[in-house]
């Protein structure tokens, strides 16, 4: 287990290093100089030069890459070009919206998908299965931001159960925060739940065909007991993988969903930064998201290597 | 053929037909504004109503289909065009540094949240359909490389490949003449799925303003425009949304149906 963990840790570090290089390179080749953009077209050349050296833009690429990565390792994400405030505090503020939203959505998605997938597998080929599978086909085809708009139309505008958008802040109470994140979380969760339910169903169907399931029945367990004690537990391994992968979809998806609900999360920060060409913010937020995704996948790998020793010898 | 395949093919061809017909005919000029006739609900003249500029929704949906299909199609093309040769090469030299490099590169691209990087690319190089295509296309490369490599690896063990090697054919020729035709089924099925994901990705990028730019109609863009008017003109949001759902649903059903149809072993297992 230790050898496997170290091997995976090494590949995690390599992935992060390569990812940071790619992101830095993409931002580097971006047309336009942030200093001249900030000062406008009428700026004097020496003012631009002064700002460039203040922002560190006159250093060599290698120096700038190293100071960016070195800074991030110490929690310093640089200084925003437009707001002149540390990117790390801007990100930290927004993270308190985006992260709870992604976790909320993940919880909802799991809560919907598990029962639906297990139910469909248990009734394979019957009407209940058909209904669940039909619903998941539809769920996969619905763009989440459109679904979000429909939720706003029904539950915010017509029924007035929720606000149409915005976020009160956690200092207004945990309940108010959760209330404001409910519609966005549902919008994010349902399409993911459709995928998860399909995976749960097919994983469970694979298990149901195994010999040990027949043995379980033969030793006197009822269908239901065998399903829960031996089926669902074994089906969890492929399902866990997908949950890990979904975290990245949820984070990326929250960027779009935040636009629908005017939530002050990372997504809005990124789009504001894009429109003001505040590239240091874009660079750092994207790196942070990639870091989160790669790390979560790493943890999922470790988690099921711990659960299933057979996986350690593979890869 | 399954019901899935027939229904999926019908829905998909409906959308493709609408896109093709839009080149020669739309009920109205999709750019023609008519402010007095704005925000009409669906009626006999304007079958799907009009938007906030009085433009005909039906015509815009037809032309929007063109944008969606073009972006998704080229993105799948990039993915297949680069991914399939990479996968074939990796399988032909299994275990070599080339195989290792291709597979590690694949893992890396998979680790990135695709939408975030698509946003990064379009943000840096400018919003627009071309950059959206590139951004979506890049993420199709590892998908096709991986699936091609996996299928090709098992084919390399088979007798007819051995026969071709004995006959003195090079690895490149074998890959293209014998391996590729045998993985084509798999690629068609995956292509359908990636196509539908491409439609969704294009809609999302256009929705946040990083995809096709006005006046080119795009379903995502139409949804973004409708957002402030959804309370009094819900049809503006409903119609492009339904267009996306019908297209994606059709492609997914077709992909599922094709998979069952092309691989008879699955017919029993999946029934």
């Amino acid at each position: 287990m230790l050898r496997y963990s170290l091997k995976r840790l090494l590949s995690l570090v390599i992935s992060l290093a390569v990812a940071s290089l790619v992101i830095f390179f993409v931002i580097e080749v971006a047309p336009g100089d942030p200093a001249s953009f900030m000062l406008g077209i009428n700026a004097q050349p020496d003012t631009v030069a002064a700002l460039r050296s203040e922002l560190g833009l006159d250093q060599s690429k290698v120096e700038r890459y190293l100071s960016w990565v070195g800074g991030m390792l110490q929690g310093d994400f640089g200084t925003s070009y437009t707001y002149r405030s540390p990117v790390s505090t801007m990100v930290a503020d927004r993270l308190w919206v985006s992260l709870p939203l992604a976790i909320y959505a993940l919880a909802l998605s799991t809560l919907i998908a598990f029962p639906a997938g297990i139910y469909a597998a248990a009734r394979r080929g019957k009407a209940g299965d058909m209904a669940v599978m039909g619903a998941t086909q539809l769920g996969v085809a619905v763009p989440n931001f459109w679904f979000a708009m429909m939720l706003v139309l029904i539950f915010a505008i017509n029924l007035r159960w929720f606000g149409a958008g915005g976020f009160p802040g956690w200092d207004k109470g945990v309940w108010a925060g959760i209330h404001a994140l409910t519609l966005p979380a549902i919008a994010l969760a349902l399409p993911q739940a459709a995928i998860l339910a399909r995976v749960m169903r097919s994983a469970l169907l694979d298990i149901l065909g195994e010999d040990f399931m027949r043995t379980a029945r033969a030793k006197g367990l009822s269908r239901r007991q065998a399903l829960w004690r031996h089926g669902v537990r074994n089906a969890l391994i492929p399902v866990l993988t997908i949950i890990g992968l979904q975290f990245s979809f949820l984070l990326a998806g929250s960027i779009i969903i935040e636009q629908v609900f005017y939530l002050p999360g990372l997504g809005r920060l990124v789009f504001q930064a894009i429109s003001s060409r505040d590239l240091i913010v874009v660079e750092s937020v994207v790196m942070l998201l990639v870091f989160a995704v790669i790390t979560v996948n790493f943890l999922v790998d470790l988690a099921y290597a711990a659960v299933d020793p057979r996986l350690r010898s593979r890869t | 053929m399954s019901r899935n395949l027939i229904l999926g093919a019908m829905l998909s061809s409906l959308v493709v037909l609408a896109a093709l017909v839009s080149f020669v005919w739309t009920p109205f000029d999709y750019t023609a504004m008519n402010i007095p006739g704005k925000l009409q609900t669906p009626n006999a003249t304007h079958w799907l109503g009009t938007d906030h500029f009085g433009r005909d929704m039906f015509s815009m949906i037809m032309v929007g289909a063109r944008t969606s299909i073009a972006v998704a199609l080229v993105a799948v093309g990039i993915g297949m065009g680069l991914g399939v040769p990479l996968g074939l090469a990796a399988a032909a030299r299994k275990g070599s540094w080339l195989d290792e490099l291709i597979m590690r590169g694949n893992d890396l691209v998979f680790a990135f949240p695709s939408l975030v990087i698509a946003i990064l690319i379009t943000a840096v190089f400018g919003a627009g359909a071309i950059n959206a295509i590139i951004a979506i296309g890049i993420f199709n490369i590892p998908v096709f490389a991986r699936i091609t490599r996996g299928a090709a690896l098992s084919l390399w063990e088979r007798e007819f490949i051995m026969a071709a090697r004995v006959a003195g054919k090079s690895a490149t020729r074998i890959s293209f003449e014998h391996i590729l035709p045998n993985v084509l089924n798999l690629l068609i099925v995956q292509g359908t799925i990636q196509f539908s994901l491409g439609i969704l990705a294009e809609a999302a990028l256009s929705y946040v303003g990083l995809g096709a730019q006005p006046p080119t109609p795009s379903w995502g863009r139409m949804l973004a425009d409708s957002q402030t008017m959804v309370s009094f003109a819900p049809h503006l949001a409903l119609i492009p949304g339904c267009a996306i759902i019908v297209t994606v649903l059709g492609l997914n059903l077709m992909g599922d149906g094709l998979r069952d149809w092309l691989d008879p072993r699955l017919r029993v297992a999946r029934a």
Side-chain angles (χ1 to χ4, degrees):
Chain A
M1 184 68 199
L2 182 71
R3 239 193 99 201
Y4 176 81
S5 311
L6 286 176
K7 223 172 132 187
R8 288 290 296 116
L9 190 66
L10 183 70
S11 86
L12 170 87
V13 173
I14 295 174
S15 300
L16 287 174
V18 178
S20 68
L21 271 171
V22 170
I23 293 169
F24 184 78
F25 176 75
V26 170
I27 297 282
E28 260 327 286
V29 298
D33 174 49
S36 9
F37 190 85
M38 281 162 69
L39 294 168
I41 46 168
N42 296 321
Q44 299 294 326
D46 52 331
T47 332
V48 175
L51 186 63
R52 280 178 62 86
S53 88
E54 192 196 321
L55 296 173
L57 291 170
D58 55 347
Q59 291 168 326
S60 77
K61 286 194 196 324
V62 180
E63 278 175 318
R64 284 177 33 222
Y65 173 72
L66 290 179
S67 78
W68 176 57
V69 172
M72 274 196 307
L73 288 176
Q74 298 162 24
D76 172 17
F77 287 59
T79 307
S80 157
Y81 295 158
T82 36
Y83 295 99
R84 298 296 177 95
S85 57
V87 177
S88 49
T89 46
M90 291 167 72
V91 167
D93 288 349
R94 309 305 186 98
L95 213 53
W96 278 106
V97 178
S98 295
L99 203 58
L101 175 57
I103 293 170
Y104 193 176
L106 196 62
L108 278 181
S109 157
T110 314
L111 277 177
I112 301 165
F114 272 40
I118 294 169
Y119 174 81
R123 318 238 149 184
R124 174 186 186 176
K126 297 190 183 128
D129 182 23
M130 301 282 197
V132 171
M133 290 312 278
T136 59
Q137 275 288 6
L138 200 62
V140 176
V142 172
N144 57 15
F145 61 92
W146 177 80
F147 186 56
M149 290 169 68
M150 292 301 112
L151 289 176
V152 169
L153 179 65
I154 298 169
F155 294 105
I157 295 172
N158 288 334
L159 295 174
R160 299 186 178 278
W161 290 354
F162 295 93
F167 187 72
W170 293 107
D171 47 339
K172 293 280 188 309
V174 176
W175 174 242
I178 290 178
H179 191 247
L181 291 182
T182 297
L183 284 188
I186 294 174
L188 267 175
L190 271 194
Q192 296 301 320
I195 299 172
L196 200 57
R198 291 175 84 90
V199 174
M200 183 80 217
R201 174 183 178 272
S202 70
L204 203 48
L205 285 181
D206 284 346
I207 301 287
L208 291 180
E210 294 276 349
D211 289 340
F212 64 76
M213 290 301 293
R214 205 175 46 221
T215 310
R217 287 300 305 281
K219 76 176 189 191
L221 292 185
S222 70
R223 270 182 68 92
R224 180 180 292 268
Q225 282 170 324
L227 181 75
W228 284 96
R229 255 185 240 175
H230 299 280
V232 174
R233 269 199 205 176
N234 278 294
L236 280 179
I237 289 173
V239 171
L240 257 179
T241 320
I242 299 296
I243 292 182
L245 283 175
Q246 287 204 331
F247 184 73
S248 86
F249 285 106
L250 287 171
L251 263 185
S254 70
I255 288 183
I256 305 280
I257 291 294
E258 281 166 15
Q259 297 297 108
V260 182
F261 291 96
Y262 306 100
L263 292 175
L266 283 180
R268 285 197 76 74
L269 181 65
V270 167
F271 285 110
Q272 279 164 7
I274 286 171
S275 57
S276 55
R277 291 208 81 71
D278 198 347
L279 294 180
I280 183 90
V281 175
V282 180
E283 194 174 47
S284 297
V285 174
V286 169
M287 188 60 221
L288 191 74
L289 290 174
V290 171
F291 172 80
V293 169
I294 294 181
T295 311
V296 166
N297 288 346
F298 166 74
L299 293 177
V300 170
D301 271 2
L302 282 193
Y304 60 64
V307 175
D308 186 349
R310 285 171 303 176
L311 291 167
R312 284 176 222 163
S313 53
R314 278 186 222 160
T315 65
Chain B
M1 266 195 272
S2 66
R3 267 178 305 176
N4 274 0
L5 183 54
I6 295 170
L7 182 65
M10 273 167 55
L11 291 178
S12 311
S13 28
L14 187 75
V15 179
V16 173
L17 194 70
L20 289 177
V21 170
S22 78
F23 281 104
V24 290
W25 175 84
T26 49
F28 291 84
D29 177 1
Y30 68 90
T31 53
M33 299 191 197
N34 171 23
I35 302 294
K38 69 176 183 180
L39 296 177
Q40 291 176 41
T41 49
N43 56 54
T45 337
H46 295 281
W47 299 334
L48 294 178
T50 58
D51 75 351
H52 54 301
F53 291 124
R55 292 176 294 188
D56 181 53
M57 289 286 283
F58 193 82
S59 310
M60 288 177 76
I61 290 287
M62 283 176 75
V63 182
R66 216 153 82 188
T67 315
S68 285
I69 291 174
V71 169
L73 201 62
V74 181
V76 170
I78 292 175
M80 278 197 181
L82 294 172
V84 172
L86 284 177
L88 288 174
R93 306 252 183 284
K94 182 191 171 190
S96 69
W97 62 270
L98 181 74
D99 182 24
E100 198 57 27
L101 188 73
I102 291 173
M103 292 324 286
R104 290 290 83 80
N106 266 341
D107 287 347
L108 190 75
V109 180
F110 267 122
F112 279 71
S114 52
L115 202 58
V116 173
I117 303 303
I119 287 170
L120 177 70
I121 292 175
T122 44
V124 167
F125 299 103
I130 305 284
N131 288 338
I133 290 172
I134 296 171
I136 300 167
I138 287 176
F139 288 94
N140 281 333
I141 299 172
V143 174
F144 287 106
R146 184 166 291 202
I147 199 164
T148 308
R149 177 180 177 272
L153 276 182
S154 63
L155 285 171
W156 272 100
E157 310 286 322
R158 302 269 295 273
E159 284 87 354
F160 71 98
I161 299 294
M162 200 68 87
R165 288 172 75 176
V166 171
K169 285 193 180 181
S170 68
T172 318
R173 270 190 72 184
I174 294 177
S175 288
F176 282 96
E177 287 176 14
H178 301 287
I179 307 270
L180 186 59
N182 281 296
V183 296
L184 213 55
N185 281 354
L186 217 58
L187 292 179
I188 291 170
V189 171
Q190 195 62 38
T192 322
I193 296 166
Q194 295 308 118
F195 194 95
S196 83
L197 290 175
I199 301 254
L200 282 174
E202 190 276 336
L205 282 179
S206 293
Y207 171 74
V208 291
L210 295 173
Q213 296 299 303
T216 310
S218 126
W219 295 339
R221 182 91 222 151
M222 289 169 80
L223 284 175
D225 288 343
S226 77
Q227 197 174 336
T228 49
M229 292 171 282
V230 76
S231 56
F232 53 88
H235 72 281
L236 293 188
L238 276 171
I239 293 165
C242 289
I244 296 172
I245 293 171
V246 165
T247 313
V248 175
L249 191 65
L251 287 167
N252 285 345
L253 286 175
M254 194 163 85
D256 280 0
L258 274 176
R259 184 172 45 202
D260 297 353
W261 189 52
L262 294 174
D263 188 352
R265 277 167 306 171
L266 283 171
R267 272 183 215 163
V268 191
R270 288 168 53 93

